[in-house]
Amino acid sequence: MELKPRSSQIVICGNTYLEVENCSRIMEYNDIYLKVKTFSGMVIEIWGSGLLLSDYNTEGIAVRGKITSVELH
């Protein structure tokens, strides 16, 4: 059995790129708003314009576009 880490790492590069590791689900997504939940229960809200979402692996996402705000709950 392989043990997987359940804590999340967030990488922000300027205001145009963001990565989130260990996402459990995408709760909402459109071109100005993204809401994701991590395995640890943290909710991440990302606001911006022209947001594009892509998977970089099975439990992580990459967001591109103009990011104006990131909120952690």
Side-chain angles (χ1 to χ4, degrees):
M1 179 172 85
E2 180 183 343
L3 296 176
K4 293 185 178 184
R6 293 298 179 202
S7 61
S8 293
Q9 181 175 358
I10 302 169
V11 177
I12 301 172
C13 298
N15 67 342
T16 59
Y17 183 79
L18 181 139
E19 287 181 6
V20 181
E21 294 180 347
N22 294 321
C23 295
S24 65
R25 71 181 255 220
I26 297 167
M27 301 169 74
E28 272 186 73
Y29 169 60
N30 58 51
D31 65 334
I32 62 167
Y33 178 70
L34 171 64
K35 184 176 184 179
V36 279
K37 187 173 186 177
T38 65
F39 284 109
S40 65
M42 180 171 54
V43 175
I44 303 166
E45 294 181 287
I46 302 162
W47 291 91
S49 60
L51 298 180
L52 297 172
L53 178 65
S54 62
D55 265 344
Y56 70 88
N57 66 37
T58 57
E59 295 175 348
I61 60 168
V63 181
R64 289 176 173 78
K66 184 177 180 188
I67 299 167
T68 57
S69 171
V70 178
E71 297 179 25
L72 308 173
H73 303 279

